[in-house]
Amino acid sequence: MPEPLDAALTEVRALLLDPSLTRAVAAGRRRGRHPMVIRAELRPVTLKAGPRLQITTSDGTRPYTRNVATGPETVQAVDELLAEPFGNWHVETADATLQLRVTKSGEAQVHRAATARPAATPGGNDRAKEYLLDPGDPIFAEIGGSAAKRRQVDAFLRALAATLPDELTGPLRVVDLGCGNAYLTFAAYRYLTSRGLDVHLVGVDVREDQRRRNTELAQRLGWADRVSFVAGTIADAVVDPSPDLVLALHACDTATDEALARAVRWEARWVLAAPCCHHDLAKQLRAHPAPAPYELLTRQGILRERFADVLTDALRAGLLRVHGYRAEVVEFVDSQHTPRNLLIRARRTGSGATEPQRAEYRELVDQWRVKPRLETLLAAAEESAS
């Protein structure tokens, strides 16, 4: 529910001046207005001279940090920042977390949550599991808050946090290809905006009923102007402008290849893909004998299926490297929660692969006599572009 902006900023001011402040971030811009800096982060620090409020601002080229004495100097610095037309505020204190977003109409969309308290662990240690998204965040009331889902959300957000640079500022365009019921889509938006980023996110799914459901949820959360959904295939859905970050989580079989191919064509800066159901190469491996001396790898059906999984993702990572990405395959969620627990994480470098790297990929493909779907899609895209 939108609130008057002045009243919401007054609440933000009180939290910024509260002795229990732990961190605050201001970023983004209001419609038609531009703040003097694109991002500001505030946090209390203790120096030899005493307690200070550390304020780090960025103009997009480099950060500038100053330590402000408590008292009138802090009040003045806070009021100056609140006067800037930032589009988002994220404030954390020892007791509460507040997220404020200024809507196109100039009102405030505010989410408030209590800070999660440490939970006792077996054995008497009072160590809390630190979640990147507060388990008490109101978003879980909408997307579902089971323990398993929160673990998966946290695992995904940690992978996302490890992919994006800490100093990232400015607008960020995100697309989630094959988003399904979009609970990770919404969690990604919530987390990224909590970092003070100006995020526009598009979810793509082939089912029209999913598009309607997800759109209604975005409206209930007050995010409809920043989070939208389209019905269409991963290969053909219209997404404009091109995204900076591409997500493809549990897209089945060659749908992951279609998502990776689109990411490469878009020249997306970052890609996170959690593959699922590697049927394509498994079928190709059944069509002919394995090269010597690897017959034992594929003679048994269960081993052939698992080897096909490994080979598929290894070749995907190799192809991404050939097309200017630094790619790595990491664990996504602990295997006790799901057997489909690998994540392809890629960052665009813009530099092509070396000839030995290209030869390494080609030798592996030729030896196993397979034709990866991703290679076919990328070759078709290059041919159509020429």
Side-chain angles (χ1 to χ4, degrees):
M1 180 72 67
E3 303 176 16
L5 180 58
D6 289 345
L9 289 177
T10 298
E11 184 178 355
V12 170
R13 183 179 188 273
L15 294 176
L16 294 177
L17 296 175
D18 193 303
S20 68
L21 175 73
T22 57
R23 178 176 176 265
V25 176
R29 61 182 179 87
R30 299 175 202 170
R31 188 176 188 181
R33 302 183 65 186
H34 296 271
M36 296 291 291
V37 294
I38 64 174
R39 189 176 190 272
E41 182 170 354
L42 301 81
R43 64 175 69 244
V45 295
T46 301
L47 307 178
K48 289 184 178 180
R52 295 289 187 272
L53 180 65
Q54 185 177 87
I55 302 175
T56 302
T57 55
S58 173
D59 60 4
T61 56
R62 62 178 182 176
Y64 170 72
T65 300
R66 59 189 176 121
N67 298 309
V68 180
T70 56
E73 192 175 343
T74 293
V75 173
Q76 180 180 348
V78 166
D79 287 341
E80 288 175 353
L81 286 173
L82 288 170
E84 292 289 332
F86 288 114
N88 301 278
W89 275 95
H90 175 85
V91 186
E92 301 172 8
T93 71
D95 300 312
T97 298
L98 181 147
Q99 174 77 30
L100 181 153
R101 181 180 61 80
V102 182
T103 67
K104 290 181 179 180
S105 60
E107 295 180 295
Q109 191 76 44
V110 184
H111 293 275
R112 303 172 180 85
T115 298
R117 296 298 182 183
T121 59
N125 294 324
D126 289 333
R127 288 195 312 166
K129 175 175 176 58
E130 295 183 1
Y131 287 89
L132 292 187
L133 196 59
D134 183 352
D137 194 290
I139 189 178
F140 287 110
E142 296 288 350
I143 68 173
S146 68
K149 180 168 287 187
R150 294 184 193 207
R151 282 194 297 268
Q152 188 178 39
V153 166
D154 192 65
F156 163 62
L157 294 182
R158 289 185 183 279
L160 179 58
T163 302
L164 301 178
D166 291 336
E167 67 275 11
L168 181 64
T169 59
L172 181 69
R173 298 192 177 276
V174 185
V175 64
D176 188 352
L177 297 173
C179 64
N181 62 15
Y183 71 91
L184 289 177
T185 314
F186 287 111
Y189 178 80
R190 185 76 167 113
Y191 168 70
L192 291 169
T193 55
S194 76
R195 286 182 50 170
L197 297 172
D198 180 11
V199 180
H200 286 261
L201 193 153
V202 177
V204 175
D205 195 86
V206 70
R207 292 171 51 183
E208 171 62 23
D209 61 329
Q210 288 283 37
R211 185 200 66 79
R212 291 195 301 269
R213 173 199 172 277
N214 294 335
T215 299
E216 291 171 0
L217 179 51
Q219 291 170 344
R220 288 202 303 274
L221 290 167
W223 299 344
D225 61 332
R226 297 299 181 97
V227 180
S228 59
F229 296 89
V230 297
T233 65
I234 288 175
D236 299 321
V238 176
V239 178
D240 187 49
S242 299
D244 306 297
L245 168 65
V246 173
L247 308 176
L249 307 174
H250 298 130
C252 190
D253 197 20
T254 56
T256 293
D257 299 303
E258 292 171 356
L260 294 175
R262 290 210 76 178
V264 171
R265 292 199 302 271
W266 280 324
E267 297 185 349
R269 297 170 67 186
W270 304 282
V271 184
L272 285 176
C276 183
C277 307
H278 304 64
H279 299 310
D280 186 47
L281 285 199
K283 180 179 179 181
Q284 294 184 45
L285 291 176
R286 289 196 300 269
H288 47 73
Y294 304 116
E295 293 92 340
L296 286 175
L297 282 176
T298 61
R299 184 171 298 162
Q300 306 294 326
I302 183 65
L303 296 179
R304 183 175 59 245
E305 295 293 328
R306 292 185 179 180
F307 176 68
D309 291 0
V310 173
L311 182 60
T312 299
D313 291 331
L315 292 174
R316 284 167 171 164
L319 273 168
L320 287 171
R321 181 172 65 176
V322 167
H323 285 80
Y325 285 82
R326 178 178 179 179
E328 55 184 345
V329 182
V330 299
E331 187 177 69
F332 174 26
V333 182
D334 193 280
S335 58
Q336 66 177 305
H337 303 304
T338 173
R340 304 296 183 182
N341 68 331
L342 294 185
L343 183 75
I344 299 174
R345 191 166 64 193
R347 175 177 60 85
R348 181 171 174 78
T349 64
S351 57
T354 63
E355 282 307 314
Q357 289 171 337
R358 292 176 183 274
E360 179 183 48
Y361 168 82
R362 182 49 51 193
E363 183 179 358
L364 185 58
V365 168
D366 292 344
Q367 185 177 28
W368 284 94
R369 290 188 288 172
V370 293
K371 184 71 170 180
R373 177 62 175 163
L374 180 57
E375 180 182 335
T376 301
L377 292 170
L378 291 173
E382 291 178 350
E383 183 176 347
S384 64
S386 62

